[in-house]
Amino acid sequence: MENKLKQMVILASDAIKKCKTINELMDVKALYLGKKSEFNTIMQDLKGLSDEEKPRIGKMVNEAKQAISALIEERKNHIDREKIDALLKEQTIDITLPGKKIAIGHKHILTKTIEEIEDIFVGLGYTIKEGPEIESDKYNFEMLNLPKDHPAREMQDSFYITEETLLRTHTSPVQVRSLLANTNQEPLKIICPGVVYRKDDDDQTHSHQFMQIEALVVDEKATLADLKGTLLLVAKKLFGENREIRLRPSYFPFTEPSVEVDVSCFKCNGIGCSMCKQTGWIEILGAGMVNNNVLKAAGYDTDKYQGFALGMGIERIAMLKYGIEDIRHLYTNDLRFNSQF
Ligand code: PHE
């Protein structure tokens, strides 16, 4: 019996060594350790042995099985390792090759322009306020001294949703909201950036949707001189230290007096060129002293308080600054355009 077991281990060992694949190895395993293996026959035969022999032979059978199991395990590891070695040899990696570059995006030129303007005002102590794009007629027009049927409503052709709601035509309703929220009627110094909508036909310089930044200061001593100083500083920061500004009388229902602001041409320094249409000046924004009717509607005492406001189109500023000749480039997301900035 002992010899027979030894013989079986030797035979199994030979067979295992010859295995080249896991499948072959599994066949050998079934043959030697499976249900129909010779070991099971031997175990059956154990019944006929004496009580002394039984444990001795049983132990030997177990040891033989364990030896074969160990050999199989070892062979399996060997086959696995060979497989990995072969793969590694086949798929050599050239670590000296340059890596693949990941394209990294950057902020859109409009975003950069907004942030630049915001930074100027935040540096002057303004806080940023935002509001809804779907606005009530009351905040967009009425409280800004533009009652229903006021002819100046035509200056801002509007997308109405219902009779009382529309897509805001400017960010001035955020100023109304901020004035109303300021229940103690305290001084206010805010800027309101955001998207606005007007029923314009899209062309090189018009878009039915564009962006504005408006500023509002309400204080006991906010004067037209303060407005002018602020405008000059903003113009210099945006278009260069040598810039000058000029104010031309204009009309907005929410400001009185109202002005249109020009900056001296930064291309020809005011001599006259195609950029400034030979005038030396480029119009950049509208502004004025807040109309008393607006302050009163928001509950402010106009004997005590006055304010100034200004509003600019962000696309226009970006187009002027970066020489962009068509507003639509700012929305079409053509990478050939976007990546230039
Ligand atoms: N809300 C005005 C517009 O969109 C811009 C503006 C703001 C003008 C503040 C004057 C003062 O036309």
Side-chain angles (χ1 to χ4, degrees):
M1 181 63 77
E2 216 176 321
N3 276 342
K4 196 175 174 193
L5 285 171
K6 272 188 189 148
Q7 195 63 32
M8 270 173 69
V9 175
I10 291 170
L11 280 176
S13 165
D14 278 348
I16 289 167
K17 267 186 216 148
K18 282 188 195 133
C19 288
K20 294 230 156 54
T21 67
I22 299 286
N23 277 347
E24 282 171 22
L25 193 61
M26 289 303 117
D27 288 346
V28 173
K29 187 177 179 184
L31 192 64
Y32 285 92
L33 303 177
K35 273 188 195 143
K36 287 179 189 158
S37 73
E38 229 167 304
F39 282 115
N40 272 355
T41 335
I42 295 171
M43 293 303 259
Q44 301 286 325
D45 293 349
L46 279 183
K47 283 175 200 156
L49 292 177
S50 69
D51 283 354
E52 281 162 38
E53 288 279 78
K54 255 188 216 167
R56 201 173 68 84
I57 303 291
K59 195 175 162 225
M60 276 164 57
V61 170
N62 275 338
E63 278 169 2
K65 280 172 101 175
Q66 274 164 14
I68 293 173
S69 283
L71 287 171
I72 290 175
E73 191 56 31
E74 197 185 296
R75 187 69 193 167
K76 185 176 171 289
N77 289 342
H78 178 79
I79 293 173
D80 283 347
R81 220 178 309 120
E82 273 190 338
K83 215 169 161 185
I84 291 172
D85 285 348
L87 268 179
L88 281 177
K89 237 182 231 163
E90 199 180 298
Q91 308 176 344
T92 41
I93 297 166
D94 182 354
I95 54 164
T96 63
L97 279 176
K100 274 189 196 148
K101 277 219 179 96
I102 299 169
I104 296 175
H106 58 77
K107 286 179 183 166
H108 192 271
I109 190 61
L110 260 185
T111 308
K112 280 192 202 168
T113 309
I114 297 166
E115 289 181 353
E116 192 182 340
I117 301 170
E118 283 177 351
D119 280 352
I120 297 172
F121 282 98
V122 168
L124 293 170
Y126 288 70
T127 34
I128 300 173
K129 294 273 183 205
E130 290 181 350
E133 288 171 32
I134 297 175
E135 195 44 283
S136 66
D137 185 274
K138 187 172 157 194
Y139 291 154
N140 193 82
F141 286 133
E142 278 170 61
M143 292 197 62
L144 287 160
N145 198 33
L146 272 154
K148 295 227 162 77
D149 304 326
H150 194 293
R153 282 195 181 204
E154 273 176 31
M155 288 164 75
Q156 304 183 359
D157 234 349
S158 323
F159 289 112
Y160 273 89
I161 296 165
T162 67
E163 256 186 38
E164 293 302 326
T165 43
L166 70 161
L167 296 179
R168 67 180 179 195
T169 56
H170 48 183
T171 51
S172 307
V174 185
Q175 308 187 355
V176 174
R177 288 171 176 273
S178 305
L179 287 169
L180 287 172
N182 202 357
T183 38
N184 295 329
Q185 281 85 44
E186 279 157 2
L188 201 66
K189 204 168 163 188
I190 56 168
I191 50 167
C192 316
V195 179
V196 301
Y197 303 84
R198 290 191 198 173
K199 230 164 145 187
D200 268 330
D201 287 331
D202 292 0
D203 62 21
Q204 214 170 329
T205 50
H206 293 87
S207 169
H208 61 283
Q209 173 189 324
F210 60 100
M211 299 198 74
Q212 275 192 335
I213 287 194
E214 299 196 341
L216 170 71
V217 174
V218 176
D219 204 329
E220 292 179 26
K221 317 185 269 279
T223 66
L224 188 63
D226 295 322
L227 169 62
K228 195 173 176 189
T230 307
L231 290 168
L232 182 61
L233 186 138
V234 172
K236 281 177 184 288
K237 291 260 186 209
L238 279 177
F239 296 106
E241 272 311 309
N242 294 332
R243 298 285 69 80
E244 288 166 42
I245 56 162
R246 75 175 183 188
L247 308 186
R248 283 178 290 112
S250 184
Y251 172 75
F252 299 105
F254 24 83
T255 45
E256 180 60 36
S258 302
V259 292
E260 212 83 60
V261 183
D262 297 341
V263 63
S264 56
C265 182
F266 41 85
K267 199 169 171 195
C268 64
N269 270 322
I271 299 163
C273 67
S274 58
M275 178 104 176
C276 57
K277 298 183 190 121
Q278 310 304 331
T279 64
W281 295 96
I282 299 171
E283 184 187 321
I284 53 166
L285 57 90
M289 299 305 293
V290 181
N291 192 306
N292 274 350
N293 290 343
V294 175
L295 290 176
K296 276 185 199 143
Y300 274 76
D301 175 359
T302 51
D303 285 335
K304 192 169 166 202
Y305 286 110
Q306 53 191 23
F308 64 77
L310 60 100
M312 62 185 116
I314 297 167
E315 284 83 349
R316 179 164 169 78
I317 302 290
M319 287 168 79
L320 288 171
K321 252 179 94 92
Y322 300 101
I324 300 162
E325 79 289 357
D326 193 322
I327 194 170
R328 290 166 293 198
H329 286 320
L330 293 168
Y331 312 124
T332 38
N333 274 334
D334 185 334
L335 280 181
R336 289 169 301 180
F337 172 81
N338 284 0
S339 56
Q340 286 179 47
F341 305 98

